[in-house]
Amino acid sequence: MKRRLLHTMTAAVVILAGATVAGAPAMASDAPGFVCNLNQNTWLRTDPHGFVLRTLSGGRGFRWHGQAIDDGYSVWIYGHGAEAPGQDGWIPAVNANC
């Protein structure tokens, strides 16, 4: 009887923990901008053609802060990816569907 009660209590704790995580809101930056979707993996850079800060995953969100540069070769947009809302940088505009 004690063993069955222990299993029931363990299952209840696991279910409650999962429900709490599922109900928690997603963390997002409150920075102004437009939310885009990355259409491929891309590098977040310090500036256009600059040092790579991190790789952003395709299919994830990218918050574009409205700044863009056309360097004569391509258009770059400034913002941050869903993986790191506190780290802004530049990506090629062709890698995002805005």
Side-chain angles (χ1 to χ4, degrees):
M1 182 70 171
K2 289 182 184 181
R3 188 178 180 124
R4 186 173 183 183
L5 181 61
L6 178 63
H7 286 189
T8 303
M9 293 297 290
T10 302
V13 168
V14 169
I15 291 169
L16 287 174
T20 304
V21 170
M27 184 177 171
S29 169
D30 59 355
F34 310 98
V35 176
C36 305
N37 190 37
L38 295 174
N39 56 34
Q40 59 187 294
N41 291 348
T42 189
W43 288 331
L44 183 70
R45 296 178 176 264
T46 55
D47 50 52
H49 307 288
F51 179 73
V52 174
L53 297 170
R54 68 182 320 119
T55 301
L56 301 175
S57 302
R60 301 287 311 266
F62 182 82
R63 184 173 298 270
W64 173 34
H65 297 307
Q67 295 174 324
I69 291 177
D70 183 352
D71 63 5
Y73 300 102
S74 56
V75 176
W76 294 77
I77 58 177
Y78 183 77
H80 62 263
E83 289 99 328
Q87 186 175 36
D88 291 338
W90 294 89
I91 65 167
V94 298
N95 294 354
N97 300 326
C98 295

